[in-house]
Amino acid sequence: MQHWRLDCSRQTLVLAATGARLPQVVYWGAPLPVTEDLATIHAAHAIDVTGGMLDENPDLSICPEASRTFPGQPGMIIRSQNGTPLLPKFCYESDTVSETGLTLIYRDEAHRLRYTATFQIEPITHIITSQAILDADAPIHLHWLSAPVFPASQQSAEMIDFSGRWCGEFQLNRTAWSPGIRMRENRTGRTGHEHFPALIVPEHGATNTIGAAHAFHYGWSGGHKMIAEELPDGRRQIQFGHAPRVEADASTRFTSAPLYAVYSSDGLNGCAVSYQRHLRDHIVTFPKADRPRPVHYNCWEAVYFDHKLDVLRDIADRAADLGAERFVLDDGWFGQRDDDTTSLSDWAVDPRKYPDGLGPLIDHVHSKDMSFGIWFEPEMINPDSDLHRAHPDWALGGEDQTLGRQQKALNMALPEVRDFIYGRMAAILSEYPIDYIKWDHNRVLPAPDAAQTRGSYALIDRLRADFPMVEIESCASGGGRIDFGILARTQRVWLSDSNDALERLRMQHDAALFLPMVVTGSHVGPRHCHTSGRTLDISLRAWVAAQRHMGFEMDPRELTPHETSVLKEVTQWWKSNRHWLERADILRLDSADPAVVAEQQLAEDNTRFVVFAGKAATSNQILPRPLRLTRLDPNAQYEINLLNKTTAPTLSRGAPVLKEQSITVSGNYLMHQGLTLPWHFPDTMWVIEGRKL
């Protein structure tokens, strides 16, 4: 028998193996005493045998093997170079153990294969990072390789995974466990709106704020596959890996992406806080880590492709007056780019629109104390472009492929393609003082290909190495490429192309299960939303943007004096509070009213918080139900202030105390009774500040 354990203050992970076999996770949950006998835990984990079963239950190991009679989905599917299926049988070779890490190496002598599994636990964020590596003495073909396999709790009735669409990202799906497989397979070649690579397994009774849950995220920007399987004997397994059959060539080494897993004993928020902190503190690297996140202005929904220098200067003036600190020039500055049919990959400044180059605009932006950013879509090419005419063979996929947004993808696996794109981008970044790139990816690939993702990573890595002070935003038709793999190379994501504040309210709420404020771009859109056709009040639009990394993307020339005043006020509030909001935990609240989408952002030192309570629909009852807060000191006193009390409508005819003054109550009161807020219309938001006394 062999046993290993990893511990943090939140959880214990115990792996155990019989003889030389691959180990299985025999315990993953609340911390075990250091004196716990792991041999007993291993023995207690064993399940019974009854009629119609094998005489011994095959291990649900970290890489289940068909060669050991495992009845479910194997963790690896490979074949030799001549096409013969291989059924590996791995045996223990060595291990390396540290206080926070574990490396296990197993060997299959018959097929000359080596399997390595690594586990690393981060003691502060509590995230367990695991990865699988397959080495072969001779080239083999890979169909499927799972990251190390975890069991799923049998105390769970359902699983939560994520789907979505353009302008409707991060939709939660709750699926009941049942015998068989829940499989999500993304073959679009990018992370995708449709299949965010994550899974949450809540146990019975778990909510946002209470109960046990396990969560997983696969940090890879290409297509992926998720398997959540319940075996006939009742055991459950979770597998994540690259989408099957995306490795076109035989090789002697294959590696899964990191799988980030965590256990929480205090609801989904425990998982969310771990992911938010781990991404912010251990995945993302900021060019200037001590620089406050700047208020962002993007000109796309103001001018689209119609670039005129005098108009852009005027817009920059107005954006700066509103409080913007960064100006981003979006699509339309290069080639002959008057619409989306032409010029992608021809990254040279359009002399018709900018006869003196970008310098005059950048100088003007800098004169307003704003930094300057620019839009690229480096991995794409229009058939109507100089590059495509010179190198049609550089496009990925067939000549007769279906276009997406009038474009093809470049073959990023080709070094000459990466060199060309690097050269064009580096020329722009060298000539002009640019500190930000909005990096777009507006179509799915014609076929899934892991080499494409690795090529894109290589290009971004090279640019970051040579231009380390340039920040990069990951945008892919909005939220089509958001994952920890791309965020190891970028510093911001564009959550959705929807600037509809009502849609954003829900999307931001659900994306907070994984994403912190500092990387989540959120902009105040036009009064009349271009993607939903909805008209929303400036107060809702401004406060929804203030929940995350705040920016504007409307035409500021459309603003009325009232709208200008509200937007300035909210922007100033955000600037005054961002020093603590940037490191605050975003906690989803369990609202008793399904019409209310509410979150609590709690400061790192627990001394203050802000609650955003958005009303996304008409309530079934007349008056608001009390809203319970979370993670407060039960015995402490908190001063509570309704920040935007003056926006209460005239139909709010009563005198709730928060409409008139602040109150001081205990943490216990706030967590058990909750806040009783004034009545308000749908499509509005209350903002409540709390300070610990």
Side-chain angles (χ1 to χ4, degrees):
M1 301 293 181
Q2 293 176 293
H3 308 100
W4 303 268
R5 67 181 288 171
L6 289 174
D7 294 273
C8 66
S9 60
R10 162 88 61 83
Q11 66 200 323
T12 296
L13 178 74
V14 179
L15 294 95
T18 300
R21 299 201 301 243
L22 282 168
Q24 54 186 330
V25 174
V26 297
Y27 179 84
W28 180 27
L32 295 177
V34 293
T35 57
E36 194 81 59
D37 184 69
L38 299 187
T40 301
I41 295 297
H42 186 188
H45 179 265
I47 58 177
D48 203 356
V49 174
T50 186
M53 298 178 69
L54 296 173
D55 295 338
E56 180 184 345
N57 291 294
D59 293 342
L60 200 171
S61 76
I62 59 174
C63 186
E65 299 158 293
S67 61
R68 295 191 189 271
T69 333
F70 183 71
Q73 295 296 301
M76 181 186 304
I77 302 175
I78 55 177
R79 57 185 173 89
S80 67
Q81 207 162 2
N82 67 12
T84 303
L86 303 177
L87 297 177
K89 182 178 178 180
F90 290 106
C91 294
Y92 175 81
E93 182 174 288
S94 65
D95 65 2
T96 303
V97 182
S98 69
E99 186 176 349
T100 59
L102 173 64
T103 299
L104 302 172
I105 300 176
Y106 285 75
R107 180 83 178 168
D108 179 339
E109 289 293 347
H111 297 107
R112 311 299 293 171
L113 304 172
R114 178 181 289 108
Y115 174 83
T116 303
T118 61
F119 298 84
Q120 192 75 28
I121 194 166
E122 212 295 316
I124 304 300
T125 67
H126 311 294
I127 292 291
I128 300 169
T129 303
S130 64
Q131 198 163 10
I133 303 169
L134 176 63
D135 291 295
D137 290 357
I140 60 172
H141 289 281
L142 177 71
H143 286 242
W144 169 246
L145 175 63
S146 174
V149 175
F150 285 78
S153 173
Q154 296 186 58
Q155 307 300 322
S156 171
E158 64 180 6
M159 65 190 87
I160 303 171
D161 59 21
F162 298 80
S163 61
R165 57 169 174 81
W166 179 72
C167 288
E169 290 85 343
F170 284 93
Q171 298 179 24
L172 269 60
N173 302 304
R174 293 178 179 265
T175 305
W177 281 98
S178 62
I181 292 175
R182 167 73 167 169
M183 185 184 80
R184 298 291 300 272
E185 187 170 331
N186 172 13
R187 302 193 64 79
T188 65
R190 64 180 185 184
T191 318
H193 307 84
E194 309 84 359
H195 303 281
F196 179 67
L199 179 72
I200 301 174
V201 182
E203 295 191 353
H204 295 295
T207 69
N208 287 319
T209 59
I210 61 171
H214 298 81
F216 307 86
H217 171 68
Y218 190 64
W220 171 246
S221 306
H224 78 281
K225 179 178 177 179
M226 178 202 84
I227 293 171
E229 182 178 25
E230 182 172 303
L231 302 175
D233 57 34
R235 291 178 297 171
R236 295 164 173 172
Q237 67 160 331
I238 304 300
Q239 295 188 14
F240 273 95
H242 294 9
R245 302 177 300 281
V246 295
E247 299 289 357
D249 301 322
S251 179
T252 57
R253 168 165 278 212
F254 298 99
T255 305
S256 78
L259 178 64
Y260 301 94
V262 69
Y263 165 78
S264 165
S265 59
D266 60 345
L268 304 191
N269 281 338
C271 302
V273 168
S274 285
Y275 283 119
Q276 291 167 25
R277 293 179 179 181
H278 195 78
L279 179 63
R280 183 191 65 210
D281 297 338
H282 298 281
I283 303 293
V284 176
T285 54
F286 293 98
K288 298 178 181 178
D290 58 348
R291 176 190 181 184
R293 303 301 279 149
V295 177
H296 197 96
Y297 178 77
N298 183 290
C299 71
W300 176 242
E301 293 196 31
V303 300
Y304 292 105
F305 297 102
D306 186 18
H307 290 209
K308 295 182 175 67
L309 185 56
D310 58 338
V311 170
L312 290 169
R313 282 172 168 161
D314 181 30
I315 288 173
D317 291 345
R318 294 168 185 264
D321 184 59
L322 290 169
E325 298 161 307
R326 173 189 286 150
F327 182 97
V328 178
L329 185 68
D330 212 287
D331 193 356
W333 58 268
F334 57 93
Q336 300 287 305
R337 186 75 165 173
D338 296 329
D339 56 37
D340 64 6
T341 66
T342 181
S343 300
L344 278 182
S345 73
D346 296 338
W347 302 110
V349 177
D350 184 347
R352 301 171 306 154
K353 299 176 183 178
Y354 300 95
D356 299 314
L358 296 176
L361 176 60
I362 295 175
D363 289 345
H364 186 79
V365 166
H366 285 171
S367 75
K368 298 297 177 180
D369 293 326
M370 293 187 291
S371 62
F372 187 82
I374 196 166
W375 182 93
F376 283 97
E377 193 170 4
E379 298 142 284
M380 300 294 156
I381 185 170
N382 285 124
D384 182 12
S385 65
D386 293 341
L387 183 63
H388 193 275
R389 284 183 282 272
H391 291 283
D393 54 310
W394 284 7
L396 185 67
E399 293 181 8
D400 61 346
Q401 66 180 273
T402 301
L403 299 182
R405 206 191 184 211
Q406 308 296 321
Q407 65 196 49
K408 300 178 181 179
L410 284 164
N411 188 344
M412 299 301 294
L414 299 177
E416 58 269 33
V417 169
R418 298 198 299 271
D419 287 345
F420 176 85
I421 297 300
Y422 170 85
R424 288 297 180 95
M425 295 182 71
I428 296 292
L429 295 176
S430 298
E431 183 175 357
Y432 298 108
I434 292 169
D435 80 341
Y436 186 87
I437 294 173
K438 179 181 177 183
W439 187 303
D440 220 333
H441 188 294
N442 273 309
R443 66 155 291 171
V444 299
L445 301 185
D449 185 351
Q452 180 78 3
T453 304
R454 289 192 290 266
S456 296
Y457 282 174
L459 175 61
I460 299 172
D461 290 345
R462 183 179 177 187
L463 281 162
R464 284 207 63 199
D466 291 348
F467 300 93
M469 303 313 293
V470 175
E471 184 174 325
I472 300 176
E473 172 188 288
S474 176
C475 174
S477 293
R481 187 159 62 178
I482 296 176
D483 60 83
F484 285 20
I486 199 68
L487 278 161
R489 298 162 169 86
T490 59
Q491 294 82 22
R492 193 178 196 252
V493 297
W494 185 227
L495 192 63
S496 176
D497 277 345
S498 173
N499 274 324
D500 182 304
L502 202 57
E503 294 177 345
R504 276 278 181 154
L505 177 67
R506 196 277 310 159
M507 279 187 273
Q508 292 176 180
H509 186 70
D510 292 336
L513 287 166
F514 297 91
L515 303 179
M517 176 271 233
V518 288
V519 304
T520 309
S522 186
H523 297 172
V524 182
R527 183 186 308 119
H528 181 77
C529 181
H530 297 184
T531 57
S532 71
R534 195 166 11 224
T535 298
L536 294 168
D537 183 75
I538 186 62
S539 182
L540 179 68
R541 288 185 281 144
W543 282 118
V544 168
Q547 289 182 284
R548 300 295 183 266
H549 182 192
M550 188 177 188
F552 322 134
E553 198 163 337
M554 92 297 281
D555 187 340
R557 295 173 298 177
E558 78 169 16
L559 296 173
T560 66
H562 168 70
E563 289 173 327
T564 298
S565 174
V566 170
L567 189 50
K568 283 185 174 182
E569 182 181 344
V570 175
T571 302
Q572 186 54 52
W573 176 89
W574 190 85
K575 285 183 172 181
S576 298
N577 287 275
R578 63 183 163 187
H579 64 283
W580 67 269
L581 287 172
E582 289 176 0
R583 297 195 62 81
D585 296 329
I586 303 172
L587 304 169
R588 292 154 46 102
L589 296 178
D590 292 324
S591 173
D593 183 351
V596 174
V597 179
E599 70 180 34
Q600 173 186 331
Q601 297 190 18
L602 180 62
E604 189 173 34
D605 63 4
N606 296 322
T607 61
R608 60 196 303 178
F609 62 82
V610 61
V611 171
F612 297 95
K615 192 171 183 182
T618 301
S619 299
N620 290 330
Q621 74 287 342
I622 295 176
L623 298 175
R625 298 190 188 278
L627 181 64
R628 288 177 170 176
L629 308 190
T630 189
R631 290 198 176 195
L632 302 178
D633 181 342
N635 298 314
Q637 295 289 306
Y638 291 86
E639 182 183 30
I640 305 299
N641 177 50
L642 183 60
L643 182 62
N644 56 340
K645 59 175 69 72
T646 59
T647 63
T650 56
L651 279 178
S652 172
R653 298 185 297 131
V657 64
L658 283 173
K659 283 175 63 176
E660 306 298 329
Q661 63 185 53
S662 63
I663 61 173
T664 299
V665 291
S666 69
N668 244 343
Y669 177 87
L670 293 169
M671 292 189 290
H672 292 279
Q673 170 62 29
L675 287 171
T676 300
L677 296 168
W679 183 90
H680 60 146
F681 286 114
D683 306 345
T684 58
M685 179 182 285
W686 288 127
V687 183
I688 304 103
E689 291 182 310
R691 293 178 183 271
K692 188 177 182 180
L693 300 178

